[in-house]
Amino acid sequence: MPDPHASAFERHDHAGCRHDVLAAVEREARERGLRLTPVRRRTLEILLEEHRAMGAYDVLERLAKDGFGAQPPVAYRALDFLVDHGFAHRIRRLNAFAACMHPDHSHAPVFLICTGCNAVAEAPGEQVREALDATARSLGFAVERSNIEAVGLCPTCAPE
Amino acid sequence: MPDPHASAFERHDHAGCRHDVLAAVEREARERGLRLTPVRRRTLEILLEEHRAMGAYDVLERLAKDGFGAQPPVAYRALDFLVDHGFAHRIRRLNAFAACMHPDHSHAPVFLICTGCNAVAEAPGEQVREALDATARSLGFAVERSNIEAVGLCPTCAPE
DNA sequence: TCCGTTCGTGTTATACTATTACATATCATT
DNA sequence: AATGATATGTAATAGTATAACACGAACGGA
Ligand SMILES: [Zn+2]
Ligand SMILES: [Zn+2]
Ligand SMILES: [Zn+2]
Ligand SMILES: [Zn+2]
């Protein structure tokens, strides 16, 4: 059983991680009455296979190869579905999408983007969001959603 | 003299705020040996006049009216210059740019975007970035740059 | 089961955002 | 004045995202 807390920066059993996440999403979708249709499921699989942030057009290309529609809305709609329900995340800095690694519980992570290897890891966002909320509150601003993304070097790519 | 700490959400002497920021940028540019050329200066003025986040093409349209080049690189280059030197910020969530309100000292603010009135305020980012750094460090990740943006309601637009 | 509604998919077309490549002009130095 | 570095302008193109509409499958009530 793979470590459910392994970050993208650590070596991990990737096949297992893929399988587990997909299973969790299927369970969640069933419980929440969401329709994980073939395109949507395949879109998630593609994100999981790559295990990195992908642009909508990269995803679209793969979907088209698999016999789904070849026009942008096909990919965008599936990706929007996944993002809306917490099964994927959108990384604005990269104009890209990545499968959520913890789809079983609602969360709002921060993203760490390595400029060395292009890996994108989800890190726990609670502390950061607490600080952000406090800062916003002091200006009378009520935060609804936020995106927090950092660019830098992961442990593997960092100089010794 | 306008309050230099007034946020975009508070009533403030906007003409004064514009003037002060522009003066500060001129001083900074002189001291740092940067060339605040006519396009660059006009681009900053446009951002300051609107006092909101603007898309590159909105800026370009205004520049063209003022007799500058009408092709995208004209706007993007001027905006990149301003961003690179801390005289403007890029808000990724909006694919937009906003003049920096505190160009005299290097800083990395968080952005608060009101969905009611489209105002964008810079809030102090130290606390939040500290939390982000700590979170990243615990994964062995070294943050170089980050963008932290929140969407929500400003005090004026919030329900009573 | 039939009907009407909602939801999902596919397609065409278009809008919006950003960069590459190259020619010309300006500036700073020598 | 000659040089090299910087800045501007233009044309062309690449990359990202949405609007609008037709069709059909899924769902729910009569
Ligand atoms: Zn996640
Ligand atoms: Zn790396
Ligand atoms: Zn600023
Ligand atoms: Zn507002």
Side-chain angles (χ1 to χ4, degrees), chain B residues 2 25 31 52 60 65 72 92 94 122 129 133 152 160:
Chain B
V25 168
E31 283 173 10
R52 61 179 178 90
L60 177 59
K65 270 183 195 153
R92 312 212 75 114
L94 303 176
E122 289 182 46
R129 263 158 234 276
D133 264 9
E160 291 311 300

Side-chain angles (χ1 to χ4, degrees), chain B residues 24-34 104:
Chain B
V25 168
E26 282 174 340
R27 180 163 18 84
E28 282 293 316
R30 205 174 327 116
E31 283 173 10
R32 284 150 61 184
L34 303 172
D104 48 336

Side-chain angles (χ1 to χ4, degrees), chain B residues 114 116-117 154 157:
Chain B
C114 179
C117 61
C154 80
C157 297

Side-chain angles (χ1 to χ4, degrees), chain A residues 69-84:
Chain A
Q71 306 307 318
V74 172
Y76 280 101
R77 281 193 291 233
L79 289 165
D80 286 348
F81 169 87
L82 296 174
V83 169
D84 284 349

Side-chain angles (χ1 to χ4, degrees), chain A residues 4-160:
Chain A
H5 297 102
S7 92
F9 298 145
E10 299 163 22
R11 285 168 150 290
H12 60 278
D13 172 2
H14 185 53
C17 134
R18 252 158 69 182
H19 175 272
D20 290 2
V21 170
L22 187 54
V25 168
E26 281 173 341
R27 180 163 20 83
E28 282 292 318
R30 206 176 322 117
E31 283 173 9
R32 285 149 61 183
L34 302 172
R35 293 169 58 188
L36 191 62
T37 60
V39 212
R40 290 167 176 177
R41 192 192 145 103
R42 184 73 197 113
T43 301
L44 180 59
E45 284 174 3
I46 289 168
L47 292 179
L48 285 168
E49 281 164 18
E50 298 283 342
H51 207 290
R52 63 179 177 90
M54 296 181 75
Y57 281 74
D58 296 333
V59 171
L60 178 58
E61 200 174 315
R62 305 269 316 253
L63 286 173
K65 271 184 195 152
D66 293 345
F68 295 99
Q71 306 307 318
V74 172
Y76 280 101
R77 281 193 291 233
L79 289 165
D80 286 348
F81 169 87
L82 296 174
V83 169
D84 284 349
H85 296 96
F87 302 146
H89 298 291
R90 183 169 198 157
I91 290 116
R92 309 210 81 110
R93 181 130 200 159
L94 303 177
N95 291 323
F97 301 83
C100 176
M101 292 296 114
H102 312 91
D104 49 336
H105 60 291
S106 163
H107 68 147
V110 305
F111 296 99
L112 307 179
I113 305 164
C114 179
T115 52
C117 61
N118 290 315
V120 175
E122 289 183 44
E126 289 75 22
Q127 312 278 295
V128 185
R129 262 157 233 279
E130 223 166 86
L132 177 55
D133 264 9
T135 295
R137 241 193 331 271
S138 75
L139 289 173
F141 187 91
V143 175
E144 281 165 16
R145 293 183 307 289
S146 55
N147 54 296
I148 301 174
E149 302 165 358
V151 170
L153 287 176
C154 81
T156 306
C157 297
E160 291 310 299

Side-chain angles (χ1 to χ4, degrees), chain B residues 35 37 39-40 69 77:
Chain B
R35 291 169 58 189
T37 60
V39 213
R40 291 168 175 175
R77 281 193 291 232

